Amino acid sequence: MSEAVFVGLPRRLVKLTIDGREFEVAEGSTILDACRRMQIDTPTLCQLDNLTPVNVCRVCVVEVEGSRVLVPACSRKVEAGMKVQTDSDRVRHSRRLVLELLASSVDMSLCSPQVHAWMGRYGATPSRFGDQVATAAQPVKIDNDLYVRDYSRCILCYKCVEACGVDAQNTFAIGVVGRGFDAHISTEFDTPLPDSACVYCGNCIGVCPTGALMFKSEHEMRAAGTWDESRQKVTETVCPYCGVGCMLELHVQDNSIVKVTSPLDHSVTSGHLCVKGRFGFEFVQRREAKR
Amino acid sequence: MFGAGGGTSSYQEAEETDLIILWGSNARETHPIFFHHLLRGVRGGAKLIAVDPRRTSSAEWADIWLGIDVGSDIALANAMAREIIHAGLAHTEFISRATTGYEEFARCVEAYTLERAEAETGVPAAAIKEVALAYARAEKGMICWTLGITEHHNATDNVLALINLGLLTGKVGRYGSGLNPLRGQNNVQGGGDMGAIPARLPGFQDLEDPEIHDKFARAWGGATFPGRKGWHLSEMFEAMDRGDLSSLYIVGENPARSEADQGRAVRLLSGLDHLVVQDIFLTHTAQMAHVVLPAAAGWAESEGTVTNSERRVQRVRRALEPPAGARDDIDIICELARRLGSDWGHPTAEQVWDECRSLSPMHAGMAYRRLEELGGIQWPCPDESHRGTQFLHARLWKHPVEGPRAPFHAVEHDPPVDRLSEEFPIRLTTGRRLDSFNTGVQTNEYTSPLRKGEALLISPEDGQRIGVEDGECVRVSSRRGSVDVNVRIEPTLRPGLAFMTLHFPDQVSTNILTIDATDPKSGTAEFKASAIRIDKIPAQVPAS
Amino acid sequence: MDIRTTGGPATAEEMAAVDGLLGEPESLWEGGERRASDDHLAYGGRATRSRRHLLLPVLHAIQDRSGWVSRGALEYACRRLSIPPAEAYGVVSFYARFGLQPRGALSLHVCDDIACKCSGAEELCAALENAHGPSGVVWHRSPCLGLCDRAPAALVERAGMQHKDRQIAPFTLAQAESILGGGAWPEPATYSMPRQAQPKLLRRIGAVDPESLESYRLHGGFTALGRAEVIGSDAVIREITESRLLGRGGAAFPTGRKWESVAKAAARPHYLVCNADESEPGTFKDRVLMENDPFAIVEGMAIAALATGCEKGFLYVRTEYPLARRRIENAIAQARAQGILKLEIEVRRGAGAYICGEETALFNSIEGKRGEPRNKPPFPVDVGLFGKPTLVNNVETLLNVVDIVVEGGASFAATGTKDSTGTRLFCASGHVTRPGIYEVAMGTPLRALLDTAGARKVQAVLLGGAAGSFLTPDQIDVPLSFEGTRAIGATLGSGAVLVFDDTADMKQVLLRIARFFRDESCGQCVPCRVGTKRQEEILERMLGGRDGDGRSDVLLLSDIAQAMRDASICGLGQTAANAIASGLTQLKVLNV
Ligand SMILES: Cc1cc2nc3c(=O)[nH]c(=O)nc-3n(C[C@H](O)[C@H](O)[C@H](O)COP(=O)(O)O)c2cc1C
Ligand code: SF4
Ligand code: SF4
Ligand code: FES
Ligand code: FES
């Protein structure tokens, strides 16, 4: 083994064609990377830059010449000479159906505006399957002071499982349980979080794209009608606790911290925190009362 | 570490190394996000070895856990060194070129046979040998430590013993190899770098070096300030005891709660003529003060920088208005200066930082703008074209070696001061939990589902011997005092070893039990090793 | 791994079951009692985590002993193998055969799948429901058990120190009552073999003693392996390539090409996997081969390993095939004992998941994970089992290999058509008078097969199982070859030939297929997870005559079908709409 290969070899460029335009990207990039570089808006639900692609939602599929089926842009690596179509009838059809099928089974109302824009773009009409269809509707799980889990919103994107598992926290408090339409996210034997392995790092919440996982504070503010993202300001700072130096994003509304996240691209955290960094901010705003 | 007070490696390297020894560190709970990096390394094939008296959650990830007796680290390290030397695995080329003091070191460790090490540490000889050889043979290897190494009366020697291992095997100064103290607080590193230790000026520059002293004096308009090193915390308490110190200005510390042998600390603090406390809380120490200066919280209510365990200087920013009356630290200090007759104006945090950069070569290139762009910069960063330094001491591998050689230090095993005896037969060690922080002033303000309050953790065997069950109350006594606390049975503890935290001083003052035997060089007390006795007390009538 | 378990201890019996497989725990840290040596030292980490692949065998050990998997037992297994309980729970709950609720020692699984439906399975199930309550407590409905030639079929199992399981077919209500009442189990008949003109692959079936290596030798056994050892890897691969053999597992991939890729793969070790999961409804050929000619499969594996440089072999057989499993295990043990088989082969039991026949899902299952297929590329030949280059072949494929090595690739290719060489095994069941396995040369018209098997008044033929498609009576002259079926938009698939006469209720058949896919979808990807559910719902309401507008429902179904076909991760989702679509359009089952 040679030493100090840390500089990373300069990556070769690969030439491919997307929607008729030739483009060069670094070897090892995904089709999604290439699309983003070319400003082609590509819907994604289960992809996140700080997680290993699981390619399960299939909303990002594209047509690759020579491939019998569509391929997921988020995980498929580019190859020299690849010919990709991102807006063919087949692509539009599958993207539409994925969004429709999902939205017919779970409550996607708290997904980002971007997701709603994609639904509009592909003409997704979830109601067309009828109103007698099975859904994931179920009561909200509130079993601790920090998290709320509303699995009637869960699209099973696996992100929380990845964040709780090998991609970051390695605690594995939750996993995918059951199979087929009954597959769902759960602790072992559906045990309440306080009896599970959960360490409340909040990294699952940090990656959840649907609002299925939520900080209890946000849940309560939403219930009270006081949650207002337009009035929130996000400031980056460093966690006040241990010496690792995690970058925090403090979401502040009315001079009060309402949520804490971390930037996905920060070299220290990759977007992941621990319970202290995520929730340990209360002291700073309880001082008034104490003094 | 040989002239630079910081961890040598970057977190990224933990992901790509071949072997990591986590020594006296439960990073899984105390440095959780560093542990993410470490686990990426483990997933990628790195071997993990945990050295810790307790089988911690970090140790559960380890390929090998060496459950040493508390305070026997040097015996272990020296025996490992001896094994490495005897196996012909010492990096002789590196040693002869880049280090000094090897001969004496080798003579010293020769006395640490495996048999002796097994007797001192409790760890089987074969396992010590196995770990020694694995470390020496690894292409890249890191040693990381925390308070398990430094909260001892011989903390500095402990650290030196680990550094010796790195020098012996050439595991420093190269990508993926290093020696890394993981810092306990978000700016311990930065505080030291800025000179908030007795012998240093900003930039970790030697206060007693006349040239440096002059440089600062000139920059500060010919100001006069002492040219000799001051006291560290423990020395201050000794000075109070002697009557040599009668006024104290404390910024952001809670010694009335955080010092070992708390009874003594409180007594000495209350005997002061004048005590000023600047803090974001009315802490127990602040309550004893003559003057309290309410401060804004550094991380969320003011601007500035902090430095982490990989020497990365990062920006903190103001996200909240501080509560009425609380002021920025810079404001308070400048106001104080003004009232003492020196007008420093109203500098912004950036202006203060730029002044620091102009005097501290290792920070010189770190303009705010660049800190922002690069997501923080690792020192040293000598100029604005420099992207920071991923790992330290590459110079030791240059031909010829740049700068001074790295010294070996022959250090001897010296067991904990608080000896076990018939009267105090159990070793109490202290530590931290994932969801809490130090004395809990900050963390006790949020509700953590993990928090179960203070308890004395003991092995099932000890529980049985004493005749207590989980949740029962006991009296724990050391040579310094007693506290009453509930017992929690913890199967991962071995008989004779007990564990408590310092997180809930209002509930249980663990520091009444701890000893203030202090390392003369670093000033840290031996929180990790007290001798205690556990007595069952009759069940109390529960408060209604 | 820092594992938290809060479910309470396992029973002594459960611990014994786990320890029986893994050996006694060596320390407190592995789930045992504290010993003095635990105080200052523990080994673990990667060494323990690398035993994750033993999870399914351990779960089987638990279930075989106590009839179900309790939380305490699961957590004990987690401690022993260093697996987080939530992950392990995700695994147990994935496999239909593991019970997570307390159950009696005796359990009865009754097939209600397509072929058995043609032979009165529904009536049987209705009677059981009447007498013993709904499925899921004492008796359980099951998808195809691979005994369609003697439908209706059942599998009975008794947990305990002496775990016993046996397939029974044809199965009667009287037998069910007797078994549930504690009576004796009828002896199994292993196959029904209609007489055939000149069997080739099947020539030893019924002639050779499946339990005796000597008998196999007397029938020419192990000459192929001997020859392979003489001519060497390259020559073997050349013969296979020349034979133009296509895989018999369903995907019809050129075997020679696959072998060559694995042989050339740089990463080490290489693994060999024999896919004996056979769970495609209507398919039972691999079972018959394993039960009656197991040594030949072992020989095929040995040749494959030799040719492609595999260091270790696995044979993954569905748990519903106890006799096949035992015979294969016996064959491996004998061949190893005699020094004929150098390759180490481990037999792994599936646990009730059709999807685990998909090669990458199968890898995950062997690795102790949920049987979720992986996205391809990378392909198994590069990144397969445990992330290493892996050769996967179907049982029948490997049996062909044995003959090819002896007779030579060119001679093999002389049978069949240009693009489909050799013979092929077909599993005839449903409304035929002589159900069973038929070996015919590739290219033989389906009609000939149907005639031999005794099909009359054919309404439809489901060719290739649930993942295949329906043929109408006017399509049954199709030649049974890959290209022949492809030309009419059909597939040979697994070789299942399910025949329906004019009495069959095709609506019920379509619904059963829809339910099959909904049940068996791994649930990973949206088009298949939700698509199979919606497909079933829409079919149900069309059959129930609800929601009037059948035409828009047909449109919905075809929209879903297209997305499943185009955007699903694996072959299950990609084919889950085929049979239903062909049923609706070709057979006009619903007159829409
Ligand atoms: C849902 C699904 C189920 C499958 N089941 C089986 C099976 O039971 N047996 C089998 O040999 N191949 C099965 N396959 C095909 C395998 O993925 C793989 O192609 C085959 O084992 C390769 O062997 P061959 O080349 O010898 O055909 C299945 C594929 C899919 C998509
Ligand atoms: S809970 Fe959220 S993150 Fe987890 S799978 Fe569901 S939608 Fe994804
Ligand atoms: S197509 Fe179905 S079975 Fe295959 S991966 Fe997707 S959900 Fe799983
Ligand atoms: S974003 Fe690509 S499959 Fe989900
Ligand atoms: S055994 Fe019942 S359908 Fe196959």
Side-chain angles (χ1 to χ4, degrees):
Chain A
M1 216 189 296
S2 72
E3 69 158 288
V5 260
F6 61 96
V7 255
L9 299 165
R11 292 209 285 175
R12 270 187 306 173
L13 292 179
V14 171
K15 192 181 277 180
L16 73 166
T17 312
I18 302 186
D19 295 342
R21 283 153 63 199
E22 276 204 351
F23 195 71
E24 276 192 336
V25 282
E27 195 175 25
S29 310
T30 61
I31 297 176
L32 180 67
D33 294 332
C35 288
R36 286 181 174 166
R37 297 274 311 278
M38 293 174 74
Q39 318 273 326
I40 299 171
D41 179 34
T42 309
T44 57
L45 289 169
C46 66
Q47 187 273 345
L48 203 61
D49 288 344
N50 63 351
L51 301 173
T52 316
V54 284
N55 49 249
V56 296
C57 79
R58 319 302 284 184
V59 78
C60 68
V61 286
V62 295
E63 203 169 338
V64 172
E65 199 176 281
S67 170
R68 184 174 49 86
V69 291
L70 304 179
V71 309
C74 64
S75 64
R76 182 62 167 270
K77 299 267 190 324
V78 295
E79 288 157 31
M82 216 177 212
K83 289 199 170 57
V84 179
Q85 291 200 41
T86 72
D87 204 35
S88 65
D89 286 346
R90 271 176 87 191
V91 168
R92 294 184 61 88
H93 179 85
S94 279
R95 289 182 179 179
R96 170 186 172 192
L97 261 287
V98 163
L99 291 166
E100 279 179 336
L101 288 169
L102 270 182
S104 75
S105 56
V106 304
D107 174 359
M108 292 177 76
S109 58
L110 290 184
C111 287
S112 70
Q114 211 182 12
V115 173
H116 292 282
W118 292 326
M119 292 207 187
R121 188 207 295 171
Y122 295 107
T125 320
S127 59
R128 70 193 184 108
F129 299 111
D131 46 15
Q132 300 286 306
V133 295
T135 68
Q138 57 186 291
V140 181
K141 285 186 187 340
I142 306 181
D143 54 16
N144 69 88
D145 287 325
L146 300 179
Y147 292 10
V148 172
R149 296 177 292 153
D150 180 359
Y151 288 122
S152 55
R153 300 181 186 279
C154 172
I155 59 169
L156 218 67
C157 69
Y158 285 55
K159 283 177 179 170
C160 52
V161 176
E162 289 201 291
C164 187
V166 279
D167 275 347
Q169 181 53 33
N170 281 279
T171 288
F172 304 95
I174 46 172
V176 182
V177 165
R179 74 175 186 217
F181 192 74
D182 299 328
H184 61 283
I185 308 291
S186 174
T187 56
E188 69 268 19
F189 294 86
D190 200 22
T191 203
L193 274 193
D195 294 332
S196 77
C198 177
V199 292
Y200 305 92
C201 60
N203 291 329
C204 54
I205 302 182
V207 298
C208 180
T210 60
L213 305 178
M214 201 178 268
F215 300 112
K216 190 147 175 250
S217 49
E218 177 176 343
H219 183 78
E220 282 166 358
M221 284 178 75
R222 283 183 185 275
T226 53
W227 182 261
D228 183 357
E229 278 173 23
S230 68
R231 281 181 20 240
Q232 291 172 11
K233 190 167 168 256
V234 181
T235 307
E236 282 190 9
T237 190
V238 176
C239 174
Y241 293 107
C242 80
V244 174
C246 296
M247 185 63 77
L248 305 181
E249 294 164 327
L250 304 180
H251 300 240
V252 173
Q253 180 179 329
D254 303 330
N255 203 39
S256 190
I257 300 171
V258 293
K259 181 157 96 176
V260 178
T261 55
S262 180
L264 299 193
D265 59 352
H266 192 255
S267 70
V268 173
T269 66
S270 301
H272 305 297
L273 295 171
C274 81
V275 59
K276 296 187 290 292
R278 188 79 74 175
F279 296 105
F281 57 81
E282 295 285 357
F283 74 90
V284 75
Q285 33 206 34
R286 291 223 183 143
R287 283 181 295 153
E288 214 115 26
K290 280 202 121 189
R291 196 178 309 271
Chain B
M1 222 146 298
F2 15 104
T8 69
S9 317
S10 55
Y11 302 157
Q12 172 70 32
E13 288 166 71
E15 300 183 12
E16 289 165 49
T17 187
D18 300 322
L19 181 142
I20 302 168
I21 304 184
L22 210 49
W23 200 313
S25 163
N26 185 13
R28 178 60 154 162
E29 296 194 41
T30 57
H31 298 87
I33 304 304
F34 170 73
F35 209 76
H36 287 183
H37 293 272
L38 181 151
L39 282 178
R40 266 175 224 135
V42 167
R43 295 266 176 217
K47 206 176 169 83
L48 178 66
I49 290 152
V51 180
D52 200 305
R54 293 188 297 139
R55 184 156 162 92
T56 58
S57 47
S58 307
E60 283 191 46
W61 281 95
D63 298 297
I64 308 177
W65 164 65
L66 304 184
I68 59 169
D69 282 333
V70 177
S72 63
D73 306 81
I74 293 176
L76 176 64
N78 282 358
M80 281 172 62
R82 183 179 184 274
E83 285 313 302
I84 291 169
I85 294 168
H86 282 241
L89 293 171
H91 200 306
T92 46
E93 198 261 343
F94 177 79
I95 293 169
S96 63
R97 221 166 34 78
T99 70
T100 59
Y102 174 71
E103 298 305 324
E104 194 202 338
F105 165 71
R107 257 195 312 279
C108 162
V109 300
E110 190 52 33
Y112 290 83
T113 60
L114 285 176
E115 296 68 41
R116 176 173 171 200
E118 174 166 335
E120 301 283 6
T121 63
V123 177
I128 298 176
K129 180 165 181 171
E130 181 181 356
V131 167
L133 301 189
Y135 175 65
R137 286 193 178 122
E139 176 95 16
K140 296 174 270 180
M142 290 172 67
I143 303 180
C144 305
W145 64 89
T146 325
L147 301 176
I149 282 296
T150 52
E151 285 184 346
H152 282 289
H153 74 282
N154 53 348
T156 309
D157 286 356
N158 277 346
V159 173
L160 292 171
L162 303 187
I163 294 176
N164 287 339
L165 287 174
L167 295 178
L168 181 63
T169 54
K171 288 201 171 40
V172 67
R174 290 203 282 190
Y175 187 80
S177 288
L179 297 162
N180 300 294
L182 303 171
R183 305 302 189 178
Q185 293 168 25
N186 81 339
N187 202 28
V188 184
Q189 182 67 51
D193 296 347
M194 287 304 119
I197 35 178
R200 300 285 171 172
L201 283 162
F204 209 69
Q205 297 176 83
D206 191 351
L207 172 71
E208 292 176 343
D209 179 334
E211 230 172 86
I212 300 219
H213 186 269
D214 283 359
K215 175 172 82 171
F216 277 85
R218 266 197 314 278
W220 291 343
T224 54
F225 60 97
R228 114 195 106 63
K229 86 188 210 14
W231 289 321
H232 57 59
L233 193 52
S234 305
E235 288 166 337
M236 289 185 204
F237 276 97
E238 281 160 24
M240 287 183 233
D241 213 0
R242 292 194 307 270
D244 292 349
L245 177 66
S246 56
S247 298
L248 196 58
Y249 175 14
I250 298 178
V251 184
E253 277 271 359
N254 188 13
R257 274 292 186 265
S258 57
E259 282 302 279
D261 196 349
Q262 184 175 310
R264 171 173 177 266
V266 170
R267 181 167 48 76
L268 291 174
L269 286 170
S270 40
L272 287 168
D273 294 346
H274 190 56
L275 176 62
V276 181
V277 172
Q278 177 172 325
D279 206 298
I280 62 171
F281 290 112
L282 195 59
T283 59
H284 278 87
T285 313
Q287 284 167 27
M288 300 168 63
H290 301 94
V291 180
V292 177
L293 302 169
W299 66 286
E301 294 169 349
S302 57
E303 302 285 327
T305 62
V306 292
T307 308
N308 73 4
S309 299
E310 59 167 0
R311 298 166 280 104
R312 184 178 298 276
V313 177
Q314 307 186 98
R315 287 273 283 108
V316 291
R317 296 182 183 81
R318 181 182 183 124
L320 298 169
E321 290 295 320
R327 293 164 69 169
D328 203 288
D329 287 324
I330 296 179
D331 276 2
I332 297 176
I333 289 167
C334 290
E335 180 62 22
L336 208 63
R338 199 177 59 78
R339 299 216 191 162
L340 290 171
S342 219
D343 189 357
W344 295 353
H346 296 279
T348 63
E350 185 168 10
Q351 284 165 333
V352 173
W353 179 246
D354 285 341
E355 177 185 315
C356 170
R357 293 202 295 130
S358 72
L359 290 165
S360 164
M362 73 189 206
H363 295 111
M366 299 185 182
Y368 265 22
R369 171 183 54 76
R370 298 193 71 224
L371 290 177
E372 190 120 359
E373 272 168 23
L374 298 174
I377 299 175
Q378 292 173 277
W379 62 247
C381 172
D383 60 64
E384 296 206 15
S385 64
H386 195 280
R387 295 180 65 86
T389 305
Q390 193 170 28
F391 59 94
L392 297 181
H393 304 308
R395 62 178 185 83
L396 294 175
W397 293 90
K398 294 272 161 62
H399 291 267
V401 170
E402 285 172 9
R405 294 171 167 213
F408 279 97
H409 289 273
V411 289
E412 300 284 353
H413 169 61
D414 184 12
V417 175
D418 210 15
R419 297 292 149 95
L420 297 180
S421 66
E422 227 163 86
E423 195 186 353
F424 299 105
I426 291 185
R427 178 60 78 203
L428 171 71
T429 192
T430 62
R432 283 145 183 83
R433 285 187 188 287
L434 173 64
D435 62 338
S436 294
F437 190 66
N438 295 351
T439 56
V441 178
Q442 300 179 154
T443 42
N444 291 348
E445 293 296 321
Y446 81 100
T447 40
S448 161
L450 298 171
R451 198 173 295 140
K452 299 203 173 68
E454 190 57 87
L456 174 78
L457 274 58
I458 53 173
S459 66
E461 291 78 2
D462 282 340
Q464 221 161 37
R465 199 175 40 72
I466 301 160
V468 290
E469 304 209 340
D470 209 81
E472 272 188 79
C473 192
V474 293
R475 174 150 304 158
V476 185
S477 314
S478 76
R479 295 188 174 92
R480 290 151 298 281
S482 303
V483 298
D484 292 351
V485 60
N486 288 344
V487 153
R488 198 173 312 145
I489 300 297
E490 176 54 64
T492 64
L493 285 173
R494 63 174 165 259
L497 185 64
F499 177 77
M500 286 175 82
T501 76
L502 311 164
H503 296 319
F504 309 98
D506 294 338
Q507 188 195 344
V508 180
S509 284
T510 309
N511 274 340
I512 285 177
L513 302 170
T514 52
I515 184 167
D516 70 343
T518 297
D519 176 49
K521 289 169 229 166
S522 68
T524 4
E526 195 153 57
F527 291 99
K528 291 293 181 205
S530 316
I532 57 161
R533 189 179 68 241
I534 305 170
D535 296 303
K536 190 173 168 150
I537 46 179
Q540 282 159 342
V541 186
S544 62
Chain C
M1 206 170 299
D2 43 347
I3 287 175
R4 180 157 185 231
T5 49
T6 51
T11 65
E13 193 181 48
E14 290 164 338
M15 283 163 72
V18 175
D19 296 348
L21 192 95
L22 299 178
E24 296 286 321
E26 276 168 19
S27 71
L28 167 70
W29 315 115
E30 236 195 78
E33 300 281 308
R34 184 197 292 281
R35 1 198 136 181
S37 54
D38 295 337
D39 285 357
H40 291 92
L41 181 64
Y43 287 90
R46 190 176 331 284
T48 321
R49 291 196 299 276
S50 68
R51 303 206 301 169
R52 163 78 186 251
H53 66 98
L54 292 173
L55 180 57
L56 259 71
V58 165
L59 292 172
H60 275 302
I62 295 169
Q63 169 134 337
D64 286 354
R65 181 69 66 94
S66 23
W68 66 294
V69 181
S70 74
R71 182 162 178 190
L74 183 68
E75 292 190 343
Y76 181 65
C78 288
R79 286 245 159 260
R80 297 284 334 256
L81 296 172
S82 195
I83 303 173
E87 279 247 315
Y89 181 61
V91 173
V92 192
S93 62
F94 184 88
Y95 296 94
R97 301 277 313 183
F98 292 132
L100 283 162
Q101 299 299 326
R103 271 190 202 168
L106 191 73
S107 60
L108 178 65
H109 302 266
V110 181
C111 175
D112 70 350
D113 217 324
I114 310 171
C116 289
K117 266 196 200 312
C118 296
S119 303
E122 234 9 90
E123 294 70 18
L124 186 59
C125 287
L128 284 171
E129 199 163 308
N130 250 334
H132 302 279
S135 154
V137 188
V138 179
W139 71 282
H140 310 262
R141 282 177 184 266
S142 166
C144 176
L145 289 169
L147 294 161
C148 329
D149 51 339
R150 282 170 293 131
L155 172 81
V156 56
E157 193 172 6
R158 183 164 40 234
M161 284 292 282
Q162 301 293 315
H163 168 256
K164 251 179 82 175
D165 50 353
R166 181 178 294 171
Q167 287 193 314
I168 303 169
F171 190 63
T172 63
L173 185 60
Q175 285 172 339
E177 290 301 351
S178 151
I179 289 170
L180 289 174
W185 303 354
E187 280 303 316
T190 70
Y191 65 100
S192 37
M193 254 274 288
R195 250 190 302 281
Q196 289 174 48
Q198 277 189 328
K200 195 177 162 221
L201 280 179
L202 295 178
R203 65 185 179 276
R204 281 179 300 266
I205 306 260
V208 75
D209 174 356
E211 313 235 323
S212 156
L213 189 145
E214 272 325 299
S215 169
Y216 179 60
R217 253 201 225 279
L218 288 175
H219 283 82
F222 293 115
T223 45
L225 179 58
R227 181 167 146 76
E229 279 164 356
V230 172
I231 64 176
S233 160
D234 290 349
V236 171
I237 294 179
R238 217 174 309 122
E239 295 294 350
I240 303 295
T241 308
E242 241 168 68
S243 75
R244 300 204 303 281
L245 173 66
L246 300 182
R248 303 305 199 225
F253 191 85
T255 307
R257 191 129 56 87
K258 204 190 269 187
W259 286 30
E260 201 172 333
S261 305
V262 176
K264 280 192 185 143
R268 287 275 157 187
H270 294 180
Y271 290 106
L272 167 68
V273 174
C274 173
N275 188 342
D277 193 48
E278 189 168 74
S279 306
E280 186 65 54
T283 314
F284 45 88
K285 63 185 177 76
D286 294 343
R287 174 183 58 79
V288 172
L289 297 177
M290 287 186 283
E291 286 175 349
N292 299 289
D293 202 5
F295 288 96
I297 296 155
V298 172
E299 184 174 5
M301 287 184 74
I303 295 168
L306 181 141
T308 58
C310 292
E311 277 90 342
K312 164 133 200 208
F314 288 89
L315 183 139
Y316 187 97
V317 55
R318 63 182 304 199
T319 191
E320 292 82 0
Y321 282 179
L323 182 64
R325 184 171 78 239
R326 275 174 215 130
R327 293 226 162 126
I328 285 280
E329 276 170 350
N330 172 61
I332 294 168
Q334 286 196 26
R336 293 275 294 184
Q338 301 243 344
I340 299 168
L341 179 68
K342 274 137 215 127
L343 177 74
E344 189 196 331
I345 302 178
E346 233 181 278
V347 175
R348 287 296 178 91
R349 275 159 88 178
Y354 164 66
I355 189 59
C356 287
E358 197 283 334
E359 53 199 10
T360 58
L362 191 158
F363 300 154
N364 281 339
S365 186
I366 292 180
E367 291 178 19
K369 301 175 184 157
R370 295 165 56 80
E372 293 173 352
R374 306 172 184 169
N375 207 68
K376 291 185 262 190
F379 293 98
V381 293
D382 299 317
V383 182
L385 185 61
F386 301 113
K388 300 296 178 189
T390 304
L391 175 67
V392 196
N393 274 127
N394 170 257
V395 171
E396 184 186 343
T397 312
L398 289 169
L399 205 62
N400 276 299
V401 162
V402 178
D403 286 355
I404 294 169
V405 170
V406 174
E407 67 176 303
S411 152
F412 178 90
T415 309
T417 69
K418 188 170 135 293
D419 292 323
S420 308
T421 54
T423 61
R424 178 85 210 249
L425 302 183
F426 289 95
C427 313
S429 66
H431 292 131
V432 288
T433 50
R434 288 178 294 277
I437 298 198
Y438 291 83
E439 181 177 13
V440 301
M442 288 279 197
T444 308
L446 172 59
R447 184 182 297 279
L449 179 71
L450 292 181
D451 288 346
T452 330
R456 274 169 302 129
K457 297 191 184 157
V458 173
Q459 179 184 181
V461 175
L462 180 58
L463 185 61
S469 55
F470 285 101
L471 304 186
T472 51
D474 59 340
Q475 290 177 309
I476 57 179
D477 284 315
V478 63
L480 291 170
S481 63
F482 295 111
E483 64 281 9
T485 45
R486 199 178 308 124
I488 60 161
T491 160
L492 294 180
S494 62
V497 180
L498 283 148
V499 182
F500 305 93
D501 67 16
D502 55 3
T503 66
D505 179 351
M506 296 312 290
K507 292 181 184 177
Q508 290 306 320
V509 174
L510 288 198
L511 263 183
R512 183 65 186 91
I513 294 174
R515 174 150 71 85
F516 176 79
F517 283 113
R518 194 259 295 138
D519 268 343
E520 300 295 341
S521 163
C522 82
Q524 200 184 181
C525 63
V526 175
C528 172
R529 176 178 77 240
V530 191
T532 53
K533 179 74 181 172
R534 293 288 176 262
Q535 172 169 278
E536 184 193 22
E537 287 169 342
I538 293 168
L539 265 183
E540 264 173 2
R541 78 178 176 221
M542 287 167 80
L543 286 173
R546 275 181 286 135
D547 281 16
D549 188 4
R551 209 159 284 281
S552 76
D553 276 346
V554 170
L555 190 72
L556 270 183
L557 281 178
S558 90
D559 273 1
I560 295 171
Q562 195 191 327
M564 287 205 282
R565 211 171 286 136
D566 273 352
S568 294
I569 293 180
C570 84
L572 187 149
Q574 288 159 12
T575 58
N578 287 359
I580 286 157
S582 69
L584 292 179
T585 54
Q586 311 271 78
L587 303 180
K588 312 236 178 288
V589 169
L590 290 164
N591 284 320
V592 283

